[in-house]
Amino acid sequence: QLLSLAVEPPSLQQLEAALQDLAHMGAIASLPGTEISEEAPITLLGYVSLSLPIELPLARLVFFGILFGCACDAVVIAAALSLDQDVFTLPSRLVMEEKKYHASLIRSMKWREYYDGSTYSEPIAVYRMFRDFMQFKMDGASKRGRSRCVHARLFSQNVAVRYDRLLQLESVVGDISN
């Protein structure tokens, strides 16, 4: 009834599909072979996902990370997967001269390969890079007067990571953690 008051209310089929998705993902309780209704109780996963600023599949990753004792890892990987763009630099031939482009491309690929560690997984590479970033910040914390931005800029310059996206990743990790 409430959604029917919206400017463009969803169709009944869309609502039923959404309920099926929620049940399938474990956010609402359902018994096998029974029809899911809007009165279905919300599960613990559902309550946790309501408090997180990420989509349900990523909230599920964080939930299971908590259950299996690797919450920090799950939060960083979920944050990495939630980003719209790659955190590593990818030089463009359009804005650089040829020699500088090749050198920059080799440097970027070197750091990608380093953090990937033969896993062929971008989320794991971003997780490893973020772990090193946090260590870099901890090591630099003794140097008074350095802000979060200064640490991010120094680190991003060293390891071929986009400064703005590193700050965005750090922010999303913080939001999920809170």
Side-chain angles (χ1 to χ4, degrees):
Q1 290 176 345
L2 177 65
L3 290 175
S4 67
L5 301 174
V7 175
E8 290 185 34
S11 69
L12 189 55
Q13 292 82 10
Q14 289 173 316
L15 292 175
E16 289 172 0
L19 284 172
Q20 290 291 336
D21 287 346
L22 289 172
H24 178 71
M25 293 291 290
I28 59 174
S30 67
L31 296 172
T34 62
E35 192 171 312
I36 301 166
S37 72
E38 59 189 53
E39 285 88 28
I42 299 175
T43 63
L44 182 56
L45 169 61
Y47 282 112
V48 169
S49 67
L50 286 172
S51 66
L52 296 175
I54 50 179
E55 295 178 10
L56 181 57
L58 299 178
R60 190 173 186 204
L61 170 66
V62 171
F63 179 77
F64 282 110
I66 293 166
L67 289 179
F68 291 119
C70 54
C72 292
D73 301 343
V75 166
V76 173
I77 291 173
L81 289 167
S82 74
L83 295 180
D84 293 335
Q85 297 175 320
D86 188 6
V87 279
F88 291 99
T89 59
L90 187 57
S92 173
R93 189 175 281 179
L94 299 174
V95 295
M96 295 180 173
E97 59 185 53
E98 196 72 25
K99 273 188 166 181
K100 190 174 181 181
Y101 166 74
H102 286 293
S104 188
L105 185 62
I106 289 169
R107 182 173 174 266
S108 179
M109 297 314 288
K110 179 189 94 167
W111 282 106
R112 283 175 188 270
E113 184 178 12
Y114 171 77
Y115 283 119
D116 179 67
S118 298
T119 61
Y120 304 105
S121 170
E122 189 171 324
I124 291 176
V126 173
Y127 162 75
R128 288 176 175 164
M129 179 276 303
F130 189 77
R131 186 182 58 199
D132 280 1
F133 171 60
M134 294 307 290
Q135 187 62 51
F136 180 81
K137 278 180 59 173
M138 298 271 293
D139 293 345
S142 60
K143 296 178 175 102
R144 300 210 179 264
R146 283 198 172 167
S147 70
R148 156 185 182 249
C149 297
V150 170
H151 288 289
R153 188 168 305 281
L154 288 171
F155 184 82
S156 64
Q157 289 170 351
N158 290 339
V159 298
V161 172
R162 293 274 313 254
Y163 165 74
D164 55 333
R165 294 183 189 152
L166 180 60
L167 288 180
Q168 183 184 14
L169 176 64
E170 184 182 29
S171 178
V172 173
V173 168
D175 290 347
I176 295 171
S177 298
N178 287 335

